[in-house]
Amino acid sequence: MIGIARLALCAAAVVATTVCQGSALAQSLKVETGNSAGLTTLVPQLLAKSLTESGVTLLINSDQTLTRSAMSLGIGRIDAAVVPPPAFNAMQHAAGPYKKAGDSAKEAAANIRSLFPFAGGVFHPIVWADSGIDSWDDMKGKRIFIGPPAGAANRQITGLIRLAGGLEEDTDYTPIRLGWGAAIQAFQDGQFDVLVGAFPVGAAAVQQLGLQREIRLIGVSEEVRNSPEWAKYLNQMGELNSSVAPGTYDGQVNGDETISIPAYAMVFGVNKDMDDDLAYSLTKTYWDSVDGYKKSVAVLAQLPTDDPLAGNNVPLHPGAARYYEEQGIEIPAAIVPPAE
């Protein structure tokens, strides 16, 4: 297996160098991504590496707030971005972090198209084993990390806590908002009681927490997962049912159990004005390469391939739609490219 850090360095070298071999598609694309240590940046970096021979260079700007990146994409400041499905939904309705933007947010959303979704990670509700928190009920009155300020994860995590534990933010618990990069250190320093972190299954960051001090993961009950409210939540938030298998993490006191928790999808989005052939080429390159990504980097084994459009709520770019049609993949009505 290739280490994530080593692979990221290789990919960074690729995105920093413009490769032009006379291809009609040869050009550089400005792309904004999320956490530089997470899948929201690693997947675009891997795609950039796969595009080396095509003459297309992805100029990746990582560690961005993706709700803002989606706006930048919609107004044409950048060519592509990793778009959280809840952020796109909020843009369409000028809600949440886009409430003050009003019609400008709706107009920006109308300019965004998708190429492919991918699993951005899995929400891990983590507590220290000696904290006295053994269940969702025990989180009442506690301080719970719910993601970065104004981030799309806020709605996903508060929705998870509401459905899994029946707890409302500000009423039943104190929500803590911090950047992803600062969250783990803040948890270690005791600044909050529950870390609902966004990590790939088997993440080194979670492993390190367990090695430092025993941890417990809190899962979603079967009763909740079988409810219509849960199905609605997954659909609205662009999430999928997932789990952490027994033995995944050292130092996890309930590590002999399967922990059922939701995985969240991310969407590789582009502006609607992207050339159709370029959108087709980017989409094809990703799917032609994804099996190799999964074999080379362990945490990418979770990337879905059986249902390639699962979790995507952003209308497809016509060039991407052409690829899926060629592959005989049914395109859900909600993301069929709109008539221009």
PDB file of all heavy atoms in Angstrom, residues 277-308:
ATOM      1  N   ASP A 277     -16.780  17.797 -23.833  1.00  0.00           N
ATOM      2  CA  ASP A 277     -15.753  16.760 -24.004  1.00  0.00           C
ATOM      3  C   ASP A 277     -14.816  16.704 -22.806  1.00  0.00           C
ATOM      4  O   ASP A 277     -14.363  15.628 -22.411  1.00  0.00           O
ATOM      5  CB  ASP A 277     -14.949  17.014 -25.286  1.00  0.00           C
ATOM      6  CG  ASP A 277     -15.753  16.720 -26.554  1.00  0.00           C
ATOM      7  OD1 ASP A 277     -16.752  15.969 -26.455  1.00  0.00           O
ATOM      8  OD2 ASP A 277     -15.389  17.235 -27.621  1.00  0.00           O
ATOM      9  N   LEU A 278     -14.519  17.863 -22.229  1.00  0.00           N
ATOM     10  CA  LEU A 278     -13.659  17.897 -21.050  1.00  0.00           C
ATOM     11  C   LEU A 278     -14.363  17.239 -19.863  1.00  0.00           C
ATOM     12  O   LEU A 278     -13.767  16.431 -19.139  1.00  0.00           O
ATOM     13  CB  LEU A 278     -13.277  19.336 -20.709  1.00  0.00           C
ATOM     14  CG  LEU A 278     -12.445  19.542 -19.440  1.00  0.00           C
ATOM     15  CD1 LEU A 278     -11.150  18.728 -19.495  1.00  0.00           C
ATOM     16  CD2 LEU A 278     -12.131  21.019 -19.239  1.00  0.00           C
ATOM     17  N   ALA A 279     -15.646  17.554 -19.661  1.00  0.00           N
ATOM     18  CA  ALA A 279     -16.404  16.939 -18.573  1.00  0.00           C
ATOM     19  C   ALA A 279     -16.475  15.422 -18.759  1.00  0.00           C
ATOM     20  O   ALA A 279     -16.343  14.662 -17.791  1.00  0.00           O
ATOM     21  CB  ALA A 279     -17.810  17.539 -18.515  1.00  0.00           C
ATOM     22  N   TYR A 280     -16.655  14.982 -19.980  1.00  0.00           N
ATOM     23  CA  TYR A 280     -16.695  13.548 -20.281  1.00  0.00           C
ATOM     24  C   TYR A 280     -15.354  12.904 -19.941  1.00  0.00           C
ATOM     25  O   TYR A 280     -15.293  11.842 -19.306  1.00  0.00           O
ATOM     26  CB  TYR A 280     -17.017  13.341 -21.755  1.00  0.00           C
ATOM     27  CG  TYR A 280     -16.950  11.892 -22.214  1.00  0.00           C
ATOM     28  CD1 TYR A 280     -18.064  11.070 -22.144  1.00  0.00           C
ATOM     29  CD2 TYR A 280     -15.762  11.357 -22.721  1.00  0.00           C
ATOM     30  CE1 TYR A 280     -18.002   9.733 -22.556  1.00  0.00           C
ATOM     31  CE2 TYR A 280     -15.691  10.036 -23.131  1.00  0.00           C
ATOM     32  CZ  TYR A 280     -16.813   9.235 -23.051  1.00  0.00           C
ATOM     33  OH  TYR A 280     -16.734   7.925 -23.455  1.00  0.00           O
ATOM     34  N   SER A 281     -14.260  13.551 -20.354  1.00  0.00           N
ATOM     35  CA  SER A 281     -12.922  13.006 -20.134  1.00  0.00           C
ATOM     36  C   SER A 281     -12.599  12.897 -18.648  1.00  0.00           C
ATOM     37  O   SER A 281     -12.056  11.885 -18.187  1.00  0.00           O
ATOM     38  CB  SER A 281     -11.882  13.886 -20.829  1.00  0.00           C
ATOM     39  OG  SER A 281     -10.584  13.397 -20.599  1.00  0.00           O
ATOM     40  N   LEU A 282     -12.950  13.922 -17.864  1.00  0.00           N
ATOM     41  CA  LEU A 282     -12.684  13.890 -16.427  1.00  0.00           C
ATOM     42  C   LEU A 282     -13.476  12.768 -15.756  1.00  0.00           C
ATOM     43  O   LEU A 282     -12.954  12.042 -14.896  1.00  0.00           O
ATOM     44  CB  LEU A 282     -13.060  15.232 -15.799  1.00  0.00           C
ATOM     45  CG  LEU A 282     -12.207  16.443 -16.182  1.00  0.00           C
ATOM     46  CD1 LEU A 282     -12.816  17.714 -15.610  1.00  0.00           C
ATOM     47  CD2 LEU A 282     -10.782  16.285 -15.704  1.00  0.00           C
ATOM     48  N   THR A 283     -14.725  12.631 -16.145  1.00  0.00           N
ATOM     49  CA  THR A 283     -15.578  11.584 -15.567  1.00  0.00           C
ATOM     50  C   THR A 283     -15.051  10.198 -15.910  1.00  0.00           C
ATOM     51  O   THR A 283     -14.932   9.320 -15.041  1.00  0.00           O
ATOM     52  CB  THR A 283     -17.024  11.736 -16.068  1.00  0.00           C
ATOM     53  OG1 THR A 283     -17.487  13.064 -15.807  1.00  0.00           O
ATOM     54  CG2 THR A 283     -17.941  10.732 -15.389  1.00  0.00           C
ATOM     55  N   LYS A 284     -14.723   9.989 -17.166  1.00  0.00           N
ATOM     56  CA  LYS A 284     -14.222   8.683 -17.617  1.00  0.00           C
ATOM     57  C   LYS A 284     -12.904   8.339 -16.938  1.00  0.00           C
ATOM     58  O   LYS A 284     -12.676   7.193 -16.517  1.00  0.00           O
ATOM     59  CB  LYS A 284     -14.055   8.671 -19.127  1.00  0.00           C
ATOM     60  CG  LYS A 284     -13.635   7.319 -19.705  1.00  0.00           C
ATOM     61  CD  LYS A 284     -13.559   7.371 -21.227  1.00  0.00           C
ATOM     62  CE  LYS A 284     -13.329   5.971 -21.792  1.00  0.00           C
ATOM     63  NZ  LYS A 284     -12.112   5.324 -21.276  1.00  0.00           N
ATOM     64  N   THR A 285     -12.035   9.328 -16.819  1.00  0.00           N
ATOM     65  CA  THR A 285     -10.733   9.090 -16.184  1.00  0.00           C
ATOM     66  C   THR A 285     -10.907   8.651 -14.748  1.00  0.00           C
ATOM     67  O   THR A 285     -10.230   7.734 -14.272  1.00  0.00           O
ATOM     68  CB  THR A 285      -9.862  10.357 -16.253  1.00  0.00           C
ATOM     69  OG1 THR A 285      -9.615  10.682 -17.621  1.00  0.00           O
ATOM     70  CG2 THR A 285      -8.529  10.142 -15.543  1.00  0.00           C
ATOM     71  N   TYR A 286     -11.822   9.298 -14.017  1.00  0.00           N
ATOM     72  CA  TYR A 286     -12.048   8.918 -12.620  1.00  0.00           C
ATOM     73  C   TYR A 286     -12.506   7.470 -12.526  1.00  0.00           C
ATOM     74  O   TYR A 286     -11.925   6.675 -11.770  1.00  0.00           O
ATOM     75  CB  TYR A 286     -13.084   9.841 -11.968  1.00  0.00           C
ATOM     76  CG  TYR A 286     -13.470   9.373 -10.578  1.00  0.00           C
ATOM     77  CD1 TYR A 286     -12.625   9.589  -9.496  1.00  0.00           C
ATOM     78  CD2 TYR A 286     -14.653   8.667 -10.356  1.00  0.00           C
ATOM     79  CE1 TYR A 286     -12.948   9.127  -8.227  1.00  0.00           C
ATOM     80  CE2 TYR A 286     -14.986   8.203  -9.093  1.00  0.00           C
ATOM     81  CZ  TYR A 286     -14.127   8.435  -8.031  1.00  0.00           C
ATOM     82  OH  TYR A 286     -14.456   7.962  -6.785  1.00  0.00           O
ATOM     83  N   TRP A 287     -13.523   7.102 -13.281  1.00  0.00           N
ATOM     84  CA  TRP A 287     -14.076   5.755 -13.150  1.00  0.00           C
ATOM     85  C   TRP A 287     -13.148   4.687 -13.717  1.00  0.00           C
ATOM     86  O   TRP A 287     -13.132   3.549 -13.235  1.00  0.00           O
ATOM     87  CB  TRP A 287     -15.460   5.681 -13.809  1.00  0.00           C
ATOM     88  CG  TRP A 287     -16.490   6.407 -12.998  1.00  0.00           C
ATOM     89  CD1 TRP A 287     -17.164   7.538 -13.337  1.00  0.00           C
ATOM     90  CD2 TRP A 287     -16.941   6.062 -11.682  1.00  0.00           C
ATOM     91  NE1 TRP A 287     -18.004   7.930 -12.330  1.00  0.00           N
ATOM     92  CE2 TRP A 287     -17.893   7.044 -11.299  1.00  0.00           C
ATOM     93  CE3 TRP A 287     -16.651   5.033 -10.797  1.00  0.00           C
ATOM     94  CZ2 TRP A 287     -18.541   7.010 -10.064  1.00  0.00           C
ATOM     95  CZ3 TRP A 287     -17.299   5.000  -9.574  1.00  0.00           C
ATOM     96  CH2 TRP A 287     -18.228   5.972  -9.211  1.00  0.00           C
ATOM     97  N   ASP A 288     -12.349   5.044 -14.706  1.00  0.00           N
ATOM     98  CA  ASP A 288     -11.358   4.093 -15.212  1.00  0.00           C
ATOM     99  C   ASP A 288     -10.252   3.845 -14.194  1.00  0.00           C
ATOM    100  O   ASP A 288      -9.583   2.809 -14.236  1.00  0.00           O
ATOM    101  CB  ASP A 288     -10.727   4.618 -16.511  1.00  0.00           C
ATOM    102  CG  ASP A 288     -11.648   4.484 -17.715  1.00  0.00           C
ATOM    103  OD1 ASP A 288     -12.706   3.842 -17.591  1.00  0.00           O
ATOM    104  OD2 ASP A 288     -11.309   5.038 -18.781  1.00  0.00           O
ATOM    105  N   SER A 289     -10.064   4.796 -13.276  1.00  0.00           N
ATOM    106  CA  SER A 289      -8.936   4.739 -12.340  1.00  0.00           C
ATOM    107  C   SER A 289      -9.319   4.331 -10.927  1.00  0.00           C
ATOM    108  O   SER A 289      -8.442   3.990 -10.121  1.00  0.00           O
ATOM    109  CB  SER A 289      -8.256   6.124 -12.268  1.00  0.00           C
ATOM    110  OG  SER A 289      -7.898   6.600 -13.547  1.00  0.00           O
ATOM    111  N   VAL A 290     -10.614   4.350 -10.597  1.00  0.00           N
ATOM    112  CA  VAL A 290     -11.017   4.233  -9.199  1.00  0.00           C
ATOM    113  C   VAL A 290     -10.616   2.898  -8.574  1.00  0.00           C
ATOM    114  O   VAL A 290     -10.248   2.844  -7.385  1.00  0.00           O
ATOM    115  CB  VAL A 290     -12.536   4.485  -9.049  1.00  0.00           C
ATOM    116  CG1 VAL A 290     -13.350   3.339  -9.634  1.00  0.00           C
ATOM    117  CG2 VAL A 290     -12.899   4.725  -7.591  1.00  0.00           C
ATOM    118  N   ASP A 291     -10.638   1.815  -9.321  1.00  0.00           N
ATOM    119  CA  ASP A 291     -10.235   0.530  -8.743  1.00  0.00           C
ATOM    120  C   ASP A 291      -8.763   0.555  -8.334  1.00  0.00           C
ATOM    121  O   ASP A 291      -8.374  -0.025  -7.315  1.00  0.00           O
ATOM    122  CB  ASP A 291     -10.489  -0.611  -9.729  1.00  0.00           C
ATOM    123  CG  ASP A 291     -11.967  -0.961  -9.832  1.00  0.00           C
ATOM    124  OD1 ASP A 291     -12.732  -0.602  -8.917  1.00  0.00           O
ATOM    125  OD2 ASP A 291     -12.360  -1.574 -10.841  1.00  0.00           O
ATOM    126  N   GLY A 292      -7.952   1.239  -9.117  1.00  0.00           N
ATOM    127  CA  GLY A 292      -6.542   1.386  -8.771  1.00  0.00           C
ATOM    128  C   GLY A 292      -6.361   2.223  -7.523  1.00  0.00           C
ATOM    129  O   GLY A 292      -5.504   1.923  -6.679  1.00  0.00           O
ATOM    130  N   TYR A 293      -7.177   3.280  -7.372  1.00  0.00           N
ATOM    131  CA  TYR A 293      -7.112   4.094  -6.158  1.00  0.00           C
ATOM    132  C   TYR A 293      -7.402   3.233  -4.931  1.00  0.00           C
ATOM    133  O   TYR A 293      -6.722   3.318  -3.903  1.00  0.00           O
ATOM    134  CB  TYR A 293      -8.147   5.231  -6.192  1.00  0.00           C
ATOM    135  CG  TYR A 293      -8.051   6.194  -7.341  1.00  0.00           C
ATOM    136  CD1 TYR A 293      -9.137   7.010  -7.674  1.00  0.00           C
ATOM    137  CD2 TYR A 293      -6.890   6.322  -8.108  1.00  0.00           C
ATOM    138  CE1 TYR A 293      -9.071   7.922  -8.702  1.00  0.00           C
ATOM    139  CE2 TYR A 293      -6.827   7.226  -9.163  1.00  0.00           C
ATOM    140  CZ  TYR A 293      -7.923   8.026  -9.458  1.00  0.00           C
ATOM    141  OH  TYR A 293      -7.873   8.917 -10.492  1.00  0.00           O
ATOM    142  N   LYS A 294      -8.422   2.395  -5.027  1.00  0.00           N
ATOM    143  CA  LYS A 294      -8.855   1.578  -3.891  1.00  0.00           C
ATOM    144  C   LYS A 294      -7.792   0.552  -3.491  1.00  0.00           C
ATOM    145  O   LYS A 294      -7.647   0.228  -2.315  1.00  0.00           O
ATOM    146  CB  LYS A 294     -10.166   0.878  -4.237  1.00  0.00           C
ATOM    147  CG  LYS A 294     -11.328   1.855  -4.414  1.00  0.00           C
ATOM    148  CD  LYS A 294     -12.554   1.194  -4.999  1.00  0.00           C
ATOM    149  CE  LYS A 294     -13.226   0.278  -4.016  1.00  0.00           C
ATOM    150  NZ  LYS A 294     -14.542  -0.185  -4.507  1.00  0.00           N
ATOM    151  N   LYS A 295      -7.047   0.073  -4.466  1.00  0.00           N
ATOM    152  CA  LYS A 295      -6.010  -0.916  -4.172  1.00  0.00           C
ATOM    153  C   LYS A 295      -4.752  -0.268  -3.596  1.00  0.00           C
ATOM    154  O   LYS A 295      -4.035  -0.869  -2.804  1.00  0.00           O
ATOM    155  CB  LYS A 295      -5.654  -1.684  -5.444  1.00  0.00           C
ATOM    156  CG  LYS A 295      -6.757  -2.610  -5.931  1.00  0.00           C
ATOM    157  CD  LYS A 295      -6.366  -3.286  -7.237  1.00  0.00           C
ATOM    158  CE  LYS A 295      -7.490  -4.182  -7.760  1.00  0.00           C
ATOM    159  NZ  LYS A 295      -7.147  -4.789  -9.072  1.00  0.00           N
ATOM    160  N   SER A 296      -4.476   0.962  -3.995  1.00  0.00           N
ATOM    161  CA  SER A 296      -3.222   1.594  -3.595  1.00  0.00           C
ATOM    162  C   SER A 296      -3.285   2.268  -2.239  1.00  0.00           C
ATOM    163  O   SER A 296      -2.269   2.392  -1.552  1.00  0.00           O
ATOM    164  CB  SER A 296      -2.778   2.615  -4.649  1.00  0.00           C
ATOM    165  OG  SER A 296      -3.711   3.682  -4.749  1.00  0.00           O
ATOM    166  N   VAL A 297      -4.474   2.720  -1.829  1.00  0.00           N
ATOM    167  CA  VAL A 297      -4.616   3.435  -0.564  1.00  0.00           C
ATOM    168  C   VAL A 297      -5.741   2.783   0.237  1.00  0.00           C
ATOM    169  O   VAL A 297      -6.900   2.803  -0.177  1.00  0.00           O
ATOM    170  CB  VAL A 297      -4.920   4.928  -0.783  1.00  0.00           C
ATOM    171  CG1 VAL A 297      -4.958   5.664   0.555  1.00  0.00           C
ATOM    172  CG2 VAL A 297      -3.889   5.563  -1.703  1.00  0.00           C
ATOM    173  N   ALA A 298      -5.406   2.208   1.388  1.00  0.00           N
ATOM    174  CA  ALA A 298      -6.354   1.390   2.148  1.00  0.00           C
ATOM    175  C   ALA A 298      -7.648   2.120   2.477  1.00  0.00           C
ATOM    176  O   ALA A 298      -8.734   1.551   2.379  1.00  0.00           O
ATOM    177  CB  ALA A 298      -5.691   0.895   3.426  1.00  0.00           C
ATOM    178  N   VAL A 299      -7.555   3.403   2.880  1.00  0.00           N
ATOM    179  CA  VAL A 299      -8.758   4.100   3.311  1.00  0.00           C
ATOM    180  C   VAL A 299      -9.710   4.387   2.158  1.00  0.00           C
ATOM    181  O   VAL A 299     -10.855   4.774   2.370  1.00  0.00           O
ATOM    182  CB  VAL A 299      -8.419   5.428   4.039  1.00  0.00           C
ATOM    183  CG1 VAL A 299      -7.664   5.155   5.317  1.00  0.00           C
ATOM    184  CG2 VAL A 299      -7.652   6.378   3.126  1.00  0.00           C
ATOM    185  N   LEU A 300      -9.253   4.192   0.920  1.00  0.00           N
ATOM    186  CA  LEU A 300     -10.119   4.424  -0.236  1.00  0.00           C
ATOM    187  C   LEU A 300     -10.936   3.193  -0.600  1.00  0.00           C
ATOM    188  O   LEU A 300     -11.722   3.229  -1.537  1.00  0.00           O
ATOM    189  CB  LEU A 300      -9.288   4.867  -1.454  1.00  0.00           C
ATOM    190  CG  LEU A 300      -8.578   6.212  -1.307  1.00  0.00           C
ATOM    191  CD1 LEU A 300      -7.856   6.573  -2.596  1.00  0.00           C
ATOM    192  CD2 LEU A 300      -9.575   7.308  -0.962  1.00  0.00           C
ATOM    193  N   ALA A 301     -10.770   2.104   0.140  1.00  0.00           N
ATOM    194  CA  ALA A 301     -11.540   0.893  -0.148  1.00  0.00           C
ATOM    195  C   ALA A 301     -13.032   1.150  -0.025  1.00  0.00           C
ATOM    196  O   ALA A 301     -13.848   0.420  -0.585  1.00  0.00           O
ATOM    197  CB  ALA A 301     -11.117  -0.233   0.793  1.00  0.00           C
ATOM    198  N   GLN A 302     -13.408   2.222   0.705  1.00  0.00           N
ATOM    199  CA  GLN A 302     -14.822   2.525   0.896  1.00  0.00           C
ATOM    200  C   GLN A 302     -15.442   3.234  -0.305  1.00  0.00           C
ATOM    201  O   GLN A 302     -16.659   3.422  -0.347  1.00  0.00           O
ATOM    202  CB  GLN A 302     -14.997   3.410   2.129  1.00  0.00           C
ATOM    203  CG  GLN A 302     -14.400   4.791   1.963  1.00  0.00           C
ATOM    204  CD  GLN A 302     -14.438   5.598   3.247  1.00  0.00           C
ATOM    205  OE1 GLN A 302     -15.091   5.245   4.207  1.00  0.00           O
ATOM    206  NE2 GLN A 302     -13.735   6.700   3.265  1.00  0.00           N
ATOM    207  N   LEU A 303     -14.645   3.647  -1.301  1.00  0.00           N
ATOM    208  CA  LEU A 303     -15.214   4.351  -2.443  1.00  0.00           C
ATOM    209  C   LEU A 303     -16.234   3.460  -3.140  1.00  0.00           C
ATOM    210  O   LEU A 303     -15.925   2.344  -3.543  1.00  0.00           O
ATOM    211  CB  LEU A 303     -14.118   4.774  -3.432  1.00  0.00           C
ATOM    212  CG  LEU A 303     -13.167   5.870  -2.955  1.00  0.00           C
ATOM    213  CD1 LEU A 303     -12.114   6.154  -4.018  1.00  0.00           C
ATOM    214  CD2 LEU A 303     -13.916   7.151  -2.618  1.00  0.00           C
ATOM    215  N   PRO A 304     -17.483   3.935  -3.306  1.00  0.00           N
ATOM    216  CA  PRO A 304     -18.518   3.085  -3.892  1.00  0.00           C
ATOM    217  C   PRO A 304     -18.368   2.946  -5.396  1.00  0.00           C
ATOM    218  O   PRO A 304     -18.022   3.898  -6.094  1.00  0.00           O
ATOM    219  CB  PRO A 304     -19.808   3.847  -3.551  1.00  0.00           C
ATOM    220  CG  PRO A 304     -19.390   5.279  -3.484  1.00  0.00           C
ATOM    221  CD  PRO A 304     -17.983   5.270  -2.933  1.00  0.00           C
ATOM    222  N   THR A 305     -18.608   1.756  -5.889  1.00  0.00           N
ATOM    223  CA  THR A 305     -18.598   1.523  -7.334  1.00  0.00           C
ATOM    224  C   THR A 305     -19.865   0.798  -7.780  1.00  0.00           C
ATOM    225  O   THR A 305     -20.254   0.902  -8.947  1.00  0.00           O
ATOM    226  CB  THR A 305     -17.362   0.689  -7.752  1.00  0.00           C
ATOM    227  OG1 THR A 305     -17.310  -0.505  -6.965  1.00  0.00           O
ATOM    228  CG2 THR A 305     -16.081   1.466  -7.548  1.00  0.00           C
ATOM    229  N   ASP A 306     -20.517   0.075  -6.871  1.00  0.00           N
ATOM    230  CA  ASP A 306     -21.729  -0.671  -7.243  1.00  0.00           C
ATOM    231  C   ASP A 306     -22.870   0.266  -7.614  1.00  0.00           C
ATOM    232  O   ASP A 306     -23.677  -0.036  -8.493  1.00  0.00           O
ATOM    233  CB  ASP A 306     -22.169  -1.586  -6.091  1.00  0.00           C
ATOM    234  CG  ASP A 306     -21.163  -2.704  -5.842  1.00  0.00           C
ATOM    235  OD1 ASP A 306     -20.389  -3.004  -6.764  1.00  0.00           O
ATOM    236  OD2 ASP A 306     -21.165  -3.261  -4.728  1.00  0.00           O
ATOM    237  N   ASP A 307     -22.972   1.372  -6.919  1.00  0.00           N
ATOM    238  CA  ASP A 307     -24.016   2.366  -7.196  1.00  0.00           C
ATOM    239  C   ASP A 307     -23.315   3.700  -7.412  1.00  0.00           C
ATOM    240  O   ASP A 307     -23.217   4.528  -6.509  1.00  0.00           O
ATOM    241  CB  ASP A 307     -24.991   2.430  -6.010  1.00  0.00           C
ATOM    242  CG  ASP A 307     -26.226   3.278  -6.311  1.00  0.00           C
ATOM    243  OD1 ASP A 307     -26.301   3.849  -7.415  1.00  0.00           O
ATOM    244  OD2 ASP A 307     -27.120   3.354  -5.439  1.00  0.00           O
ATOM    245  N   PRO A 308     -22.794   3.932  -8.619  1.00  0.00           N
ATOM    246  CA  PRO A 308     -21.880   5.055  -8.842  1.00  0.00           C
ATOM    247  C   PRO A 308     -22.461   6.446  -8.646  1.00  0.00           C
ATOM    248  O   PRO A 308     -21.692   7.402  -8.519  1.00  0.00           O
ATOM    249  CB  PRO A 308     -21.423   4.854 -10.292  1.00  0.00           C
ATOM    250  CG  PRO A 308     -22.468   4.015 -10.916  1.00  0.00           C
ATOM    251  CD  PRO A 308     -22.979   3.124  -9.829  1.00  0.00           C
TER     252      PRO A 308
END
